[in-house]
Amino acid sequence: MVTLTPLEVGLALLALVLVAAIAVMIVTNRRRANLRAKFGPEYGRTVEMTGSPRKAEAELQEREKRVAAFTIRPLSPQQADAFTDAWVRVQAQFVDDPQGAVSRADVLLTEVMEVRGYPITDFEQRSADLSVDHPEVVQNYRSAHDIAVRHARGEADTEDLRRAMIHYRALFDDLVHEPVDHRMAPSVSRLRQDDLRGSDPR
């Protein structure tokens, strides 16, 4: 039977601790890389909001667990066509009634979310839920909502409302016409302004 000296036992324990620490570091880095890849800009926003990567990652993982419990389903072709037709009407409404069109666009998006299987909760929770499967456009949703709130306080003009519609359009396309490859799709800033001047967005 081999008898280890106290020094050898100590070195063996130290080696085990180092191996465990390295394993934890590898797992942590892999998880962080996966979350960054999945959430994109939403990862950075959450880090800024929570104050640390560790807290941000816990928050994002909690969102994933919550959304995993939902029954998210794609729209049928008939539902997609109906919502697209509704969007065309909202877009046409913008010409004569920008504020009403923005309000209707927000309601229409909520209807799409509900049909897709997202629970209809408060705005912040809806945004968090959407960020799991739509991280590239959830900030558009927040920006549009912020403009609508500012307009209600008299702090936004018609051009701001036009931007809100473009932001809403980005999320609408993602929800109704999945999947959208954002590496190939135009950015919000490049979406055609004439979409709000009567042209057919389809």
Side-chain angles (χ1 to χ4, degrees):
M1 180 176 178
V2 177
T3 302
L4 299 177
T5 66
L7 177 59
E8 290 172 329
V9 171
L11 290 174
L13 290 174
L14 178 60
L16 288 174
V17 170
L18 288 174
V19 169
I22 291 171
V24 169
M25 183 175 64
I26 291 172
V27 170
T28 299
N29 288 341
R30 183 175 300 166
R31 181 184 65 217
R32 181 165 297 170
N34 289 340
L35 288 171
R36 279 177 171 166
K38 176 175 181 176
F39 284 92
E42 184 68 9
Y43 179 93
R45 178 186 179 276
T46 309
V47 170
E48 183 176 350
M49 181 181 68
T50 60
S52 76
R54 182 180 59 81
K55 291 179 180 179
E57 288 155 16
E59 162 68 18
L60 295 175
Q61 287 178 308
E62 187 60 34
R63 293 184 196 179
E64 288 180 318
K65 290 179 183 177
R66 173 180 162 83
V67 172
F70 302 160
T71 303
I72 305 298
R73 50 195 172 269
L75 298 177
S76 69
Q78 294 78 14
Q79 289 171 325
D81 286 345
F83 279 125
T84 300
D85 289 342
W87 179 265
V88 172
R89 292 192 294 272
V90 171
Q91 201 161 260
Q93 179 184 354
F94 185 88
V95 176
D96 297 318
D97 182 14
Q99 183 176 359
V102 169
S103 297
R104 176 56 187 148
D106 184 74
V107 171
L108 183 60
L109 274 170
T110 302
E111 292 172 356
V112 175
M113 292 177 214
E114 187 171 18
V115 172
R116 290 289 313 272
Y118 288 96
I120 303 307
T121 57
D122 63 88
F123 174 78
E124 290 301 328
Q125 187 62 64
R126 287 201 307 273
S127 299
D129 292 342
L130 285 169
S131 73
V132 175
D133 293 323
H134 304 275
E136 297 291 339
V137 293
V138 68
Q139 188 55 41
N140 297 102
Y141 186 42
R142 295 189 184 107
S143 296
H145 179 77
D146 178 65
I147 290 172
V149 170
R150 288 193 293 110
H151 188 270
R153 297 197 301 256
E155 299 172 0
D157 57 20
T158 301
E159 187 56 36
D160 292 321
L161 293 177
R162 189 185 304 279
R163 284 195 292 272
M165 286 292 289
I166 294 172
H167 287 312
Y168 278 138
R169 167 68 182 271
L171 178 58
F172 179 86
D173 283 346
D174 227 43
L175 286 169
V176 174
H177 304 298
E178 287 191 301
V180 174
D181 187 343
H182 293 281
R183 294 169 299 178
M184 302 298 295
S187 66
V188 169
S189 63
R190 292 170 54 202
L191 287 173
R192 295 176 301 162
Q193 291 289 334
D194 61 0
D195 278 354
L196 299 179
R197 298 189 177 94
S199 63
D200 189 336
R202 293 177 293 179

